[in-house]
Amino acid sequence: MWEHFHHQADIGIRGVGKSPAEAFEEAALALIAVVCQPDRVEAKEEIRINCEAPEAELLFIDWLSAIIYEVDTRGMLFCRFEVEITGNKLAGAAWGEKIDNERHKTIVEVKGATYAELKVACNENGHWVAQCVVDV
């Protein structure tokens, strides 16, 4: 006997911007796009997120982990992000609303950001790239 069954694989996310902060913002949108279509989410409530880490890659993982935590604990999805990075500290904001499964049509749950394919660097075109694989 044999059968097919559904299996969720991990997903890589990447943000590209003119600065590390902008790349982090774009990567946060990529993270939410794993869960739902961000354009279905309304910016009704602001959540402040602060992180600190000794290097950019770890700061990026902390940023994504904080967003995942907010999604899980507040039952919210986000559609807009702002990040300011000063040294090894990140001050960020996320705007969104409570999850409405009917309207948001959530796809999968992101369990965490991983160190797989982790990179925060300026590419040959002068754009910043922030990426990693998230566990779904």
Side-chain angles (χ1 to χ4, degrees), residues 48-114:
R48 303 295 304 169
I49 298 172
N50 296 297
C51 306
E52 185 173 351
E55 59 187 54
E57 286 83 4
L58 297 177
L59 191 60
F60 180 58
I61 292 291
D62 285 355
W63 163 244
L64 295 178
S65 296
I67 294 167
I68 293 165
Y69 174 82
E70 296 297 340
V71 168
D72 287 346
T73 61
R74 294 180 189 267
M76 291 182 70
L77 292 171
F78 302 100
C79 60
R80 192 177 119 208
F81 299 91
E82 283 185 11
V83 170
E84 183 179 313
I85 299 172
T86 307
N88 61 350
K89 295 181 181 180
L90 179 151
W95 286 267
E97 64 178 323
K98 294 285 185 192
I99 296 171
D100 176 343
N101 287 323
E102 205 168 294
R103 188 164 49 84
H104 295 134
K105 300 186 188 312
T106 56
I107 303 163
V108 297
E109 177 185 349
V110 176
K111 299 173 192 167
T114 74

Side-chain angles (χ1 to χ4, degrees), residues 14-36:
R14 177 180 298 132
V16 179
K18 296 176 186 172
S19 67
E22 193 174 296
F24 279 35
E25 293 167 1
E26 293 298 320
L29 281 172
L31 173 69
I32 295 301
V34 170
V35 178
C36 74

